[in-house]
Amino acid sequence: MIDPSDEDLIEYALKASKNSYSPYSKIKVGAAILTETNDVITGTNVENASYGLSMCAERVAVFKAISMGIRKFRKIAIILDDGKGIMPCGACRQVLMEFGKDIIVITKDKDGRLVKFNLDSLLPNSFTLKGEEIG
Ligand code: THU
């Protein structure tokens, strides 16, 4: 993968959103992580009849990456299947924070324009037990 653009990342996330398993909320979310080595790892939300067991798209993408041995993330794009933007929930912000406060979160605003946030600005003064070294 050669340095995908932010628009490309949104496209990857959009494609992943189509695989969403969300019969309860009917909210289909896609996420696409850009890794330090410019690989793209996607995720989608997976719900369950026992509602509380449902998992967000962002965390699915993070856990996929970790299970592949990839821990350094540059960006994450998040989008709904209809192309509308969505902000990461608090739990996903915390899980992302474990892997770097400078991860860029990309989504769209209500006018459909690309917007970017530094993770640190979305979860200020966050709880962590480690420094910047991800080992
Ligand atoms: N959801 C995500 O996938 N990511 C978020 O950041 C917010 C919420 C999912 C979880 C659930 O399947 C559906 O959206 C409704 O909450």
Side-chain angles (χ1 to χ4, degrees):
M1 172 54 63
I2 312 288
D3 199 15
S5 68
D6 293 345
E7 289 79 6
D8 291 338
L9 278 184
I10 290 281
E11 277 307 308
Y12 278 104
L14 189 66
K15 203 168 169 197
S17 74
K18 310 291 182 189
N19 295 326
S20 170
Y21 179 74
S22 44
Y24 307 105
S25 75
K26 310 246 192 296
I27 294 173
K28 293 169 173 265
V29 187
I33 290 174
L34 180 67
T35 72
E36 194 188 50
T37 50
N38 284 344
D39 290 306
V40 177
I41 296 165
T42 60
T44 191
N45 55 324
V46 182
E47 297 186 346
N48 192 274
S50 178
Y51 297 166
L53 301 182
S54 300
M55 182 55 62
C56 292
E58 300 92 315
R59 275 178 284 164
V60 169
V62 169
F63 298 157
K64 271 174 73 178
I66 298 304
S67 61
M68 292 164 73
I70 299 168
R71 298 182 179 181
K72 294 194 175 173
F73 308 151
R74 292 173 56 197
K75 303 177 181 179
I76 183 166
I78 314 160
I79 200 80
L80 294 171
D81 69 315
D82 62 3
K84 291 202 171 105
I86 178 174
M87 293 299 290
C89 79
C92 289
R93 294 177 196 202
Q94 177 68 27
V95 168
L96 285 164
M97 184 61 77
E98 183 75 15
F99 301 102
K101 65 179 174 50
D102 292 322
I103 296 169
I104 304 296
V105 175
I106 304 161
T107 187
K108 287 187 173 176
D109 68 14
K110 60 177 170 41
D111 299 317
R113 284 183 296 243
L114 226 60
V115 283
K116 299 187 218 181
F117 303 88
N118 190 292
L119 182 61
D120 198 37
S121 75
L122 298 180
L123 195 66
N125 307 315
S126 63
F127 170 73
T128 53
L129 292 178
K130 53 169 120 184
E132 288 315 290
E133 276 310 305
I134 309 291

